[in-house]
Amino acid sequence: MVIKPKIRGFVCITSHPTGCAAHVQEEIDYVASQGSIEGGPKRVLIVGSSTGYGLSSRIVTAFGFGADTVGVFFERPSSNGRPASAGWYNTAAFTQAAEARGLFAGNINGDAFSNEIKQQTIDMIRDKLGQVDLVIYSLASPRRTDPETGEVFKSVLKPVGFPFTAKTLDTDKKQIAEHVIEPATEQEIADTVKVMGGEDWVLWMDALKEAGVLAEGAGTLAYSYIGPEVTHPIYRSGTIGKAKEHLENTAATLTAKGIPAWVAINKAVVTQASSAIPVVPLYISLLFKVMKEKNLHEDCIHQMQRLFAEKFHNGKPETDHEGRIRLDDWEMKTEVQDAVKSLWPTVTSENLEAISDFAGYQTDFLKLFGFGLDGVDYDADVEVDAPLDA
Ligand code: NAD
């Protein structure tokens, strides 16, 4: 069938198999162009491996270190002629490329918060790799079912303590508007921490350790975000920020238990998760404009390459005084933030395209679903079924 983008709010409900494969190949080519990375873990588990930062982490560890990988994700296969989700096609393309390179790439599709998926992952590691040397935890999810009680918790993106008038960009209509977002209740804060905090990270690491599939000295890495003042009420000081603080504190808890754990603070990029956060798409459009002008622009794959080639140092990461790896160092440069800050109050629906990189935002957004890739014939018939052992 011929597949075109169908955008509904901040998601695209179609995805293109050939385009997703081309996107994955672009990332692989970039990593290959940087040369192999000395040392580094050779057996890596990535939880949340099919899109965004998790996918790029998988690509860098496989094609930079030559690591065998196990990836866990929650994606939809094609059915009744309907395309699969982008992460499904990304994983199919990654697996093919990794296997062609002689690397093991095992895939587990299902709810990472469940005991069953943890057990399946342990069984696959034991069977195929023996143990893993590094665990990357890169989940972004709006809900979590507690594995013991079956209760479903939902995360919310709200300010804490006071209402916030958010300047937001409707990316579909190219309209900027101000919306008041009411503060979260105590229950909503707790629920968001339950979903996006560190509780499940600990459950993963305990289960892997107990099963004996963590190699001696194996470490773990999760991702977080801080960002500038304009996003603080909705991000860092909001419900998601409370969850991220919990995740960051969990690194210390894990380390104290004998599992070396770190959190990398990554920069803002366009992913399925970030496009759902109020304020963030507008901030990213302005940030991209400034960072591209200053020759500092990075996408997921550039960030992950810099993480593993420069900042992670084979288990001895370069950290700030709070023990966090700072990949947002370029985003948070004073010259970058001053420029974004001065543009922020002036941006309107009318001047959006002139003073921001909204075009770049849209290009990246479509690429997440395999659209707009060079060399892909979007008028050609494509097969929507993609084989994937998952
Ligand atoms: P993403 O939406 O691209 O990826 C989320 C991944 O989680 C996918 O592989 C998805 O399949 C998987 N997933 C979601 N729910 C699952 C479930 N129940 N079971 C199994 N897999 C599940 O998101 P992303 O933006 O790459 O986010 C990854 C991490 O990076 C998050 O911790 C996020 O906060 C962090 N981060 C993102 C940004 C950004 O700007 N996007 C910036 C800094 C940090």
Side-chain angles (χ1 to χ4, degrees):
M1 74 187 277
V2 174
I3 309 171
K4 300 284 174 186
K6 273 193 201 155
I7 296 169
R8 302 278 180 271
F10 50 76
V11 289
C12 178
I13 59 169
T14 50
S15 51
H16 199 282
T18 323
C20 287
H23 190 196
V24 167
Q25 192 58 47
E26 260 188 9
E27 295 205 358
I28 293 173
D29 291 346
Y30 171 73
V31 173
S33 76
Q34 302 301 297
S36 57
I37 307 169
E38 286 308 308
K42 291 285 181 267
R43 299 165 300 178
V44 180
L45 166 65
I46 303 104
V47 183
S49 64
S50 54
T51 56
Y53 275 123
L55 173 66
S56 298
S57 305
R58 194 177 193 186
I59 291 173
V60 175
T61 52
F63 293 90
F65 295 150
D68 292 323
T69 58
V70 171
V72 180
F73 48 86
F74 209 0
E75 299 295 345
R76 191 191 66 239
S78 62
S79 70
N80 302 324
R82 199 171 145 224
S85 56
W88 181 275
Y89 292 135
N90 291 340
T91 305
F94 168 85
T95 305
Q96 222 180 17
E99 286 177 351
R101 193 63 74 84
L103 301 172
F104 175 76
N107 297 310
I108 305 226
N109 187 29
D111 183 6
F113 296 123
S114 70
N115 292 334
E116 294 72 22
I117 289 296
K118 289 183 176 73
Q119 190 56 50
Q120 275 183 39
T121 308
I122 287 166
D123 292 345
M124 181 181 278
I125 293 171
R126 193 180 280 133
D127 195 30
K128 303 291 183 185
L129 302 177
Q131 292 183 317
V132 286
D133 311 298
L134 175 67
V135 178
I136 296 168
Y137 186 82
S138 186
L139 286 185
S141 173
R143 71 187 66 80
R144 171 176 172 219
T145 304
D146 185 290
E148 298 311 322
T149 64
E151 196 181 338
V152 178
F153 295 88
K154 289 187 181 155
S155 65
V156 297
L157 294 161
K158 290 189 178 180
V160 168
F162 55 89
F164 169 53
T165 306
K167 191 168 186 176
T168 56
L169 166 61
D170 180 329
T171 47
D172 230 0
K173 299 189 182 122
K174 295 187 197 168
Q175 292 291 320
I176 291 176
E178 293 206 335
H179 297 290
V180 177
I181 309 177
E182 293 301 325
T185 62
E186 287 302 319
Q187 189 60 50
E188 286 174 320
I189 299 168
D191 289 359
T192 306
V193 172
K194 183 93 182 167
V195 178
M196 287 296 287
E199 190 178 273
D200 180 62
W201 189 20
V202 173
L203 291 179
W204 266 102
M205 298 315 298
D206 282 350
L208 294 163
K209 191 171 184 185
E210 213 163 286
V213 295
L214 280 187
E216 183 70 31
T220 181
L221 190 58
Y223 300 138
S224 186
Y225 183 66
I226 295 177
E229 270 168 39
V230 287
T231 64
H232 277 184
I234 198 67
Y235 200 97
R236 194 63 193 185
S237 320
T239 48
I240 182 70
K242 298 287 167 215
K244 288 300 186 188
E245 265 171 34
H246 186 271
L247 183 84
E248 288 162 30
N249 293 336
T250 301
T253 312
L254 285 168
T255 303
K257 280 184 177 203
I259 304 170
W262 297 274
V263 167
I265 311 290
N266 300 347
K267 85 173 269 275
V269 291
V270 185
T271 65
Q272 293 185 40
S274 71
S275 48
I277 307 174
V279 184
V280 168
L282 179 57
Y283 168 67
I284 288 182
S285 302
L286 293 169
L287 179 73
F288 277 17
K289 174 86 170 176
V290 172
M291 290 188 81
K292 283 179 185 174
E293 277 172 6
K294 295 187 184 302
N295 230 354
L296 292 171
H297 179 69
E298 288 179 303
D299 205 346
C300 281
I301 195 67
H302 310 111
Q303 280 264 293
M304 293 300 97
Q305 175 71 25
R306 197 150 68 86
L307 172 63
F308 292 108
E310 293 174 28
K311 299 249 178 193
F312 198 60
H313 296 314
N314 214 356
K316 289 190 195 64
E318 180 190 309
T319 62
D320 66 8
H321 61 283
E322 291 185 47
R324 305 169 299 195
I325 303 168
R326 301 304 295 262
L327 281 168
D328 63 342
D329 46 356
W330 297 356
E331 171 182 356
M332 299 312 290
K333 274 177 186 281
T334 311
E335 60 190 282
V336 171
Q337 286 304 324
D338 282 353
V340 174
K341 222 186 208 168
S342 71
L343 290 171
W344 186 260
T346 68
V347 65
T348 61
S349 307
E350 290 69 39
N351 67 13
L352 174 68
E353 280 167 281
I355 73 163
S356 85
D357 185 30
F358 181 56
Y361 180 92
Q362 281 186 306
T363 303
D364 281 8
F365 179 77
L366 284 171
K367 271 173 97 170
L368 297 178
F369 304 93
F371 296 105
L373 275 295
D374 285 343
V376 177
D377 179 359
Y378 289 100
D379 295 319
D381 253 332
V382 278
E383 173 57 57
V384 293
D385 288 339
L388 182 60
D389 258 346

